[in-house]
């Protein structure tokens, strides 16, 4: 009986020794993280951009019909051009009706045509641009602008303002086409007027030539931000 009890006890110890040691399982510590709130990204706010007329790329020209009396009344169209033009246009592409135009100036003393003789007569005796070298246009109103605009489209509108030639200032209205593409604002503005209204025409050189009273004035402009 004692022998059987001894054997049973021995078996218990043997079995206990054969059991694998308990494995301690490390519980991973959860690292507390702090999430910073990123500022909300605002969509770019579109607004007005100021474009300056590029001298040399922008030109002001006149066009007037003339008749050469000493050449059997030969008809011709005289065209004079100056590249000395300055001014600013503020365009709001998102809200085109907010567009504004600053004063535009051109150095008409630098008018050049295909005849140096004509240029001299105009400069000294008629337009007198030697004394009054600059013509200015100060816009007072813009009409015909659309409510929306997509760059690349052609804009068509009218600009009215005070034009000063020599010592006379009169209102003129320009018909304007403009296009914004690749950060360049380009276009053309045209108007016509009577030289006699500004006190310097029509031009007449006895026995040589006579001009019509009406002048077509054209501003071809290129402007950059």
């Amino acid at each position: 009986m004692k022998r059987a009890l001894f054997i049973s006890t021995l078996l218990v110890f043997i079995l206990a020794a054969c059991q694998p040691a308990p494995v301690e399982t490390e519980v991973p510590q959860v690292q507390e993280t702090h999430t910073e709130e990123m500022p909300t990204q605002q969509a770019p706010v579109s607004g007005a951009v100021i474009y300056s007329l590029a001298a040399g790329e922008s030109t002001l020209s006149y066009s007037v019909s003339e008749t050469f009396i000493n050449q059997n009344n030969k008809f011709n169209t005289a065209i004079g051009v100056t590249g000395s033009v300055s001014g600013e246009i503020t365009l709001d592409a998102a809200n085109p009706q907010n567009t504004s135009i600053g004063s535009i100036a051109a150095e008409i003393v630098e008018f050049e045509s295909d005849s140096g003789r004509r240029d001299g007569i105009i400069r000294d005796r008629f337009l007198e641009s030697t004394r009054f070298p600059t013509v200015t246009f100060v816009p007072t109103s813009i009409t015909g602008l659309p409510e929306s605009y997509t760059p690349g489209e052609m804009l068509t509108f009218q600009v009215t303002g005070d034009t000063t030639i020599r010592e006379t200032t009169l209102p003129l209205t320009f018909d304007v086409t403009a296009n914004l593409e690749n950060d360049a604002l380009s276009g053309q503005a045209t108007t016509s007027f009577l030289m006699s209204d500004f006190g310097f025409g029509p031009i007449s050189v006895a026995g040589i030539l006579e001009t019509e009273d009406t002048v077509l004035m054209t501003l071809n402009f290129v402007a950059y931000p």
Side-chain angles (χ1 to χ4, degrees):
M1 182 71 179
K2 289 182 180 180
R3 179 180 176 83
L5 181 61
F6 173 77
I7 293 173
S8 299
T9 303
L10 182 60
L11 288 172
V12 170
F13 278 106
I14 292 172
L15 290 173
C18 292
Q19 293 292 327
V23 178
E24 294 184 3
T25 304
E26 293 185 2
V27 179
Q29 295 183 354
V30 178
Q31 186 174 2
E32 187 175 350
T33 58
H34 298 280
T35 304
E36 295 184 2
E37 293 186 4
M38 298 298 292
T40 303
Q41 293 289 331
Q42 297 271 345
V45 179
S46 58
V49 177
I50 299 175
Y51 294 84
S52 297
L53 269 62
E57 294 184 67
S58 302
T59 62
L60 181 72
S61 65
Y62 71 79
S63 176
V64 60
S65 298
E66 61 184 6
T67 300
F68 287 92
I69 300 172
N70 63 344
Q71 298 182 32
N72 296 320
N73 295 324
K74 176 183 175 181
F75 182 82
N76 184 55
T77 299
I79 299 174
V81 182
T82 175
S84 296
V85 182
S86 62
E88 292 182 343
I89 301 172
T90 302
L91 174 63
D92 188 340
N95 300 284
Q97 295 186 354
N98 292 337
T99 296
S100 63
I101 302 175
S103 177
I104 307 294
E107 299 304 311
I108 58 175
V109 70
E110 299 180 16
F111 268 147
E112 288 188 3
S113 68
D114 60 354
S115 170
R117 183 179 182 184
R118 177 195 295 114
D119 297 339
I121 291 173
I122 292 175
R123 186 179 299 116
D124 298 332
R125 294 176 52 187
F126 293 95
L127 193 55
E128 294 187 86
S129 53
T130 302
R131 293 178 57 202
F132 310 103
T134 306
V135 60
T136 60
F137 176 73
V138 181
T140 55
S141 67
I142 303 176
T143 58
L145 286 170
E147 294 183 359
S148 61
Y149 175 70
T150 301
E153 294 179 348
M154 188 66 69
L155 283 170
T156 302
F157 55 98
Q158 296 76 43
V159 181
T160 298
D162 295 325
T163 301
T164 301
I165 301 176
R166 302 208 315 178
E167 297 179 298
T168 303
T169 300
L170 294 173
L172 293 179
T173 297
F174 283 82
D175 293 317
V176 185
T177 57
N179 178 37
L180 176 62
E181 193 168 8
N182 298 327
D183 287 332
L185 179 63
S186 60
Q188 185 179 86
T190 60
T191 191
S192 61
F193 60 90
L194 299 179
M195 288 186 280
S196 56
D197 287 344
F198 287 91
F200 66 89
I203 296 172
S204 178
V205 179
I208 299 177
L209 68 83
E210 291 182 352
T211 71
E212 293 185 356
D213 199 6
T214 302
V215 176
L216 175 66
M217 185 160 62
T218 302
L219 172 66
N220 289 299
F221 61 89
V222 179
Y224 301 102

